[in-house]
Amino acid sequence: MTPKRKKRLYIILALVFGTGIAVGLTMYALNQNINLFYSTSQVADGEAPVGTRIRVGGMVVKNSIKRSKDSLQVSFGITDYGKPITVSFTGILPDLFREEQGIIAQGKMDNQGIFQADEVLAKHDENYMPPEIAESMKKKAGTE
Amino acid sequence: MKIKFPKWFYQLASPRWFYDITSKLLPWFAIAALLLMVIGSVWGLAFAPADYQQGNSFRIIYIHVPTAILAQSCYMLMAIAGGIGLIWKIKVAHVIAKSCAPIGASMAVLALVTGAIWGKPTWGAWWVWDARLTSMLVLFFLYIGVIALTSAFEHIASGDKAAAVLALVGIVNIPIIKYSVEWWNTLHQGATFKVTEKPAMPSEMWIPLLIMIIGFYCFFAVLLMSRARTEVLRRESKTDWVKLLVERY
């Protein structure tokens, strides 16, 4: 490489690494803001801001879904397998909503420590399987 | 430090050689792209089993994942080609970088749109400002910026240089897209394909996906070569070999 090209190479490397470091530090500083949601333990421990709209994510606790008889109101527990919290929501839940499904709820904590959600999203994971395999896995889990 | 590059690397610098070699390669990639994409989409859309939770809506993965991967690979290629063009002043490298931008932008749009269509029934929302979705949108804006900068100058060389610098700066976004789902809590799920692990789906689901991804890469090569060839002819229109070529037709 000629000295001129070498110089240009170094300038470009410096440019890429410089922006990389700048962006990296910015994101490190904004770390908590980039997270889409708080975990239920963070909310229960008071790490999440109170009285403002936040998102909480966790798995729907088994046998915790209680539906109101005369309205669309539904309440359920969600947990990150640490500390669970109770969520109350009025509206139509996404198709994937079920027990032990990961969900993200947006809303506010009320005075009784119940999370009043105005939006519930289902979180899907990267595991896909055909229905037959899911069925046989369920059976296996039941017999063991 | 003395770096010796193989002969073909220097030959690539010749627009004429590039034009000749791509005219030989183009039909092969076209055939491969057609075959793989037809096999992959028929297999994926009609024969692969449905997902136990999402049913048939998961099949959008066969378009979404290849376009999303390609949008990122295309950006890497564009930035590296731009860098080579800046350092070695190779005309063909800038031609390739310029030809990458519109293709990558289209792939990014396809990935965003298919993701939104899948997100509505699965998550319950078209769009969420999580790290993965936002960084992908930034990638699309970077492409738009590169396209705009390339054509914003009167001199081709100035536009090429400016666009290459933007492309190189924007390359920090690529690892952010890739690792966003691991670094932060996101609604978007983790990667379907990992280098170190087996995919988290049975083979009758991921083999058609892999075929689609390779097919999309071939399709990308076809698009890129066609665009780059046109651009080479446009930029070299005053040279003898292009004049000769035009006369022959």
Side-chain angles (χ1 to χ4, degrees):
Chain A
M1 279 212 285
T2 61
K4 224 177 178 179
R5 288 174 182 170
K6 215 185 260 182
K7 200 177 145 199
R8 286 200 292 258
L9 176 68
Y10 289 142
I11 292 173
I12 286 170
L13 286 180
L15 179 81
V16 170
F17 281 106
T19 27
I21 291 165
V23 172
L25 286 174
T26 314
M27 288 197 305
Y28 181 73
L30 294 174
N31 200 12
Q32 192 52 64
N33 296 345
I34 300 175
N35 279 329
L36 186 72
F37 54 89
Y38 291 96
S39 68
T40 55
S41 300
Q42 279 176 309
V43 174
D45 290 340
E47 276 177 48
V50 184
T52 55
R53 271 164 63 87
I54 54 166
R55 290 199 194 90
V56 185
M59 300 291 246
V60 178
V61 180
K62 226 176 177 177
N63 302 324
S64 73
I65 305 175
K66 289 187 202 82
R67 286 175 202 277
S68 153
K69 285 206 176 77
D70 52 356
S71 73
L72 284 173
Q73 199 273 333
V74 56
S75 81
F76 50 89
I78 56 171
T79 180
D80 61 351
Y81 301 110
K83 294 170 182 168
I85 61 166
T86 307
V87 177
S88 169
F89 174 69
T90 306
I92 297 161
L93 293 161
D95 290 354
L96 282 192
F97 183 88
R98 67 192 72 193
E99 287 171 351
E100 296 187 313
Q101 168 74 42
I103 63 122
I104 292 166
Q106 185 166 32
K108 273 184 199 171
M109 278 310 263
D110 68 5
N111 301 331
Q112 282 97 47
I114 293 172
F115 191 79
Q116 298 291 343
D118 46 40
E119 188 183 29
V120 171
L121 301 175
K123 180 168 162 57
H124 189 265
D125 60 19
E126 64 271 31
N127 299 309
Y128 302 83
M129 46 177 140
E132 310 89 65
I133 294 180
E135 197 57 41
S136 72
M137 273 173 71
K138 226 187 250 171
K139 266 186 208 149
K140 238 186 227 164
T143 51
E144 272 164 17
Chain B
M1 184 171 69
K2 190 138 176 72
I3 306 172
K4 277 288 274 184
F5 288 104
K7 198 172 151 222
W8 61 264
F9 185 79
Y10 293 104
Q11 279 181 326
L12 261 182
S14 148
R16 186 179 181 177
W17 189 84
F18 176 83
Y19 191 85
D20 287 343
I21 193 81
T22 48
S23 62
K24 289 187 193 109
L25 289 175
L26 201 55
W28 296 105
F29 276 100
I31 293 167
L34 189 71
L35 276 177
L36 289 169
M37 285 170 82
V38 167
I39 294 170
S41 44
V42 171
W43 189 349
L45 298 182
F47 295 104
D51 183 59
Y52 75 114
Q53 269 192 324
Q54 305 168 47
N56 282 322
S57 71
F58 108 96
R59 291 182 199 280
I60 210 159
I61 197 176
Y62 295 111
I63 307 291
H64 178 73
V65 171
T67 51
I69 291 177
L70 210 53
Q72 294 168 70
S73 309
C74 180
Y75 194 91
M76 295 283 285
L77 178 61
M78 182 175 76
I80 291 168
I84 290 174
L86 281 182
I87 297 169
W88 283 278
K89 305 265 181 210
I90 294 174
K91 284 189 216 161
V92 174
H94 283 304
V95 168
I96 289 175
K98 188 190 173 183
S99 313
C100 274
I103 307 172
S106 333
M107 291 296 164
V109 167
L110 275 176
L112 289 168
V113 169
T114 50
I117 294 170
W118 177 84
K120 186 61 188 168
T122 317
W123 296 338
W126 296 102
W127 182 263
V128 178
W129 291 101
D130 86 346
R132 170 58 73 81
L133 276 65
T134 311
S135 56
M136 200 63 197
L137 188 65
V138 169
L139 183 76
F140 170 67
F141 289 148
L142 280 169
Y143 275 125
I144 298 298
V146 169
I147 294 172
L149 264 184
T150 311
S151 49
F153 294 85
E154 206 160 315
H155 293 285
I156 292 176
S158 321
D160 283 342
K161 268 189 210 161
V165 170
L166 175 64
L168 282 165
V169 168
I171 209 163
V172 285
N173 192 33
I174 296 295
I176 297 176
I177 298 177
K178 172 126 182 54
Y179 294 107
S180 55
V181 289
E182 290 166 31
W183 290 342
W184 302 291
N185 296 332
T186 55
L187 186 59
H188 195 286
Q189 62 265 40
T192 309
F193 281 123
K194 292 180 196 115
V195 182
T196 47
E197 287 170 44
K198 261 183 70 122
M201 52 165 85
S203 54
E204 62 261 43
M205 280 177 168
W206 67 256
I207 291 174
L209 180 55
L210 192 64
I211 291 174
M212 278 303 264
I213 292 172
I214 300 168
F216 261 86
Y217 268 106
C218 294
F219 179 56
F220 167 67
V222 172
L223 288 180
L224 180 64
M225 283 194 266
S226 319
R227 291 193 78 94
R229 281 159 63 82
T230 316
E231 189 65 25
V232 162
L233 287 187
R234 216 164 62 89
R235 291 187 179 190
E236 302 287 308
S237 58
K238 294 215 170 63
T239 60
D240 289 339
W241 71 272
V242 175
K243 279 183 186 152
L244 217 77
L245 202 75
V246 174
E247 269 169 33
R248 253 195 284 157
Y249 288 101

